[in-house]
Amino acid sequence: MSEDHCTIRNATKPPREDGPPYAECVLCREPTEYPESYKGITLCPVCEWQEAQRTACSG
């Protein structure tokens, strides 16, 4: 089987914002690096890293 089960297909990240206003993190409500106008799930760098750790392949 050649399909990698750990690959997230069509995963898109919102564009980074150069300055305020920033969108709030959907988990902890801290400012993110994404524009406030972005529609969708936004995570701050800490929650983004923690989510990546939770969803990473193990072993």
Side-chain angles (χ1 to χ4, degrees):
M1 182 179 241
S2 64
E3 187 174 325
D4 183 2
H5 68 278
C6 295
T7 303
I8 299 173
R9 298 184 189 279
N10 299 325
T12 57
K13 296 186 94 172
R16 301 281 180 181
E17 185 67 24
D18 291 332
Y22 297 113
E24 287 184 345
C25 176
V26 296
L27 299 177
C28 70
R29 311 303 281 180
E30 289 294 320
T32 67
E33 298 174 342
Y34 304 112
E36 201 172 63
S37 61
Y38 178 75
K39 302 291 186 222
I41 296 172
T42 54
L43 299 172
C44 71
V46 173
C47 290
E48 198 170 275
W49 182 83
Q50 290 172 340
E51 186 65 21
Q53 293 296 314
R54 280 192 288 271
T55 59
C57 290
S58 56

